[in-house]
Amino acid sequence: MCRFVLYMGAPITLDLLTTRPVYSIINQSYRARMRSEPLNGDGFGIAWYVPDLSPEPAQYRSIRPAWNNVNLIHLARVSRSPVVMAHVRAATRGMGVSESNCHPFAAERFAFMHNGSIADFMKIKRPLRERLSDASYLSIHGTTDSEHLFALFRDHVKRGRNHDPAARMARALESTVHEVEELACTRGVLQDSLLNMAVTDGQCAAVSRYATGAGVAPTLYYQTGTQYECVDGVCRMRTEGEGERTVLVASEPLTDDANWTEVPPSHMVLVDCNRNITVQSLK
């Protein structure tokens, strides 16, 4: 499994997620607390938005372990964004370690990351690809099940009819889960898929915690407040005072704050364009 974090709020430097918290995403790359194998050393990636320059996200990905990448430390210290995704990877057996396979993935205005795996992916890979539009099919550059999930999601979101972008993304993510379940059933896949997925368009977001069958979905937490800050080496989410609505969604808490909330299994965190949070069932 992997570890990831999504931030939405007032612009922050990327190091407030990657290096400075006590349980930063770099810390989770070698000492994850909430999975049986603590190492996530098969690469990392960051996607972040700079709305004044482009509606499409910037990306930085590398196959080097996050804990051993000096470029990441310097980039994160001076790059600022209101919407950030960060991911450290533990590659599924059989999935190559390459830059193209590192998360987050980006296409058009969307950024996407995944914690988990599609069970027996090779059994459903070909029929899944046959369902993709030409544009989504041709956009796949790596070999991971995760990038195929992203392609499937984009086709569903393009077919969506809901004018509210957050609701449209949530429905597309739900449809992606259902289609994976359907393909697994028709191909006789007996193992459970783990489908913790996060997607944003830079304004709103949807994040799932889901496992098929009797599987146990990886952990997922969120917290909200008025400002996320790091002062004198201590990072925390302020919940008092004035400030922009701020949201953090993470595989495991980045800090020792008491106001992290666990997302129940088979649920989705939906963040609308005003950064209001809804936790809804993902049936």
Side-chain angles (χ1 to χ4, degrees):
M1 282 346 112
C2 308
R3 302 280 86 177
F4 66 52
V5 59
L6 165 69
Y7 170 85
M8 304 182 78
I12 60 170
T13 53
L14 308 188
D15 60 350
L16 268 67
L17 304 175
T18 58
T19 62
R20 294 173 66 182
V22 62
Y23 308 118
S24 69
I25 203 70
I26 280 185
N27 185 287
Q28 293 178 38
S29 70
Y30 63 87
R31 195 165 56 210
R33 295 173 297 147
M34 296 185 177
R35 57 181 299 253
S36 57
E37 170 52 63
L39 288 177
N40 297 278
D42 295 320
F44 71 89
I46 309 174
W48 70 101
Y49 289 79
V50 185
D52 291 343
L53 300 179
S54 173
E56 298 180 0
Q59 280 180 289
Y60 178 56
R61 300 185 293 172
S62 173
I63 62 172
R64 295 184 66 181
W67 69 76
N68 194 30
N69 193 293
V70 176
N71 290 332
L72 170 62
I73 293 171
H74 288 292
L75 175 73
R77 181 174 53 84
V78 297
S79 299
R80 186 183 298 272
S81 173
V83 180
V84 185
M85 280 184 164
H87 184 281
V88 289
R89 184 175 183 235
T92 303
R93 181 175 296 180
M95 302 291 177
V97 177
S98 69
E99 193 171 287
S100 296
N101 285 346
C102 291
H103 311 220
F105 303 100
E108 300 170 333
R109 68 186 187 279
F110 291 107
F112 175 95
M113 54 191 179
H114 174 214
N115 173 19
S117 61
I118 297 177
D120 282 340
F121 177 55
M122 291 306 168
K123 285 188 177 180
I124 72 166
K125 181 177 180 179
R126 182 166 180 174
L128 189 158
R129 289 169 74 97
E130 288 172 350
R131 296 185 179 202
L132 297 176
S133 67
D134 287 347
S136 291
Y137 178 89
L138 293 172
S139 72
I140 296 174
H141 302 293
T143 59
T144 63
D145 51 353
S146 304
E147 193 174 11
H148 286 73
L149 286 170
F150 183 32
L152 198 60
F153 164 83
R154 295 201 311 280
D155 278 348
H156 281 298
V157 84
K158 288 175 182 175
R159 291 195 291 264
R161 297 181 180 180
N162 197 313
H163 294 295
D164 177 76
R168 190 170 179 176
M169 288 169 60
R171 179 58 182 162
L173 201 62
E174 188 174 44
S175 296
T176 300
V177 168
H178 292 166
E179 193 152 3
V180 169
E181 289 184 307
E182 177 195 341
L183 285 166
C185 182
T186 58
R187 289 284 166 153
V189 175
L190 301 179
Q191 295 176 308
D192 301 318
S193 294
L194 306 180
L195 301 173
N196 283 25
M197 298 178 284
V199 63
T200 182
D201 63 356
Q203 296 182 323
C204 48
V207 188
S208 64
R209 183 186 181 192
Y210 193 81
T212 64
V216 179
T219 55
L220 189 67
Y221 293 81
Y222 73 91
Q223 65 173 192
T224 62
T226 56
Q227 184 180 358
Y228 174 64
E229 61 183 7
C230 292
V231 179
D232 296 330
V234 178
C235 298
R236 69 185 185 103
M237 178 73 78
R238 288 176 48 194
T239 57
E240 74 286 347
E242 298 294 326
E244 292 190 32
R245 291 181 184 272
T246 303
V247 177
L248 274 170
V249 185
S251 299
E252 55 188 67
L254 303 184
T255 66
D256 287 322
D257 289 20
N259 63 329
W260 287 93
T261 301
E262 184 173 6
V263 180
S266 300
H267 279 71
M268 177 190 305
V269 178
L270 185 62
V271 186
D272 70 17
C273 295
N274 295 314
R275 302 192 191 115
N276 297 306
I277 283 273
T278 304
V279 179
Q280 61 189 48
S281 176
L282 204 171
K283 300 179 180 179

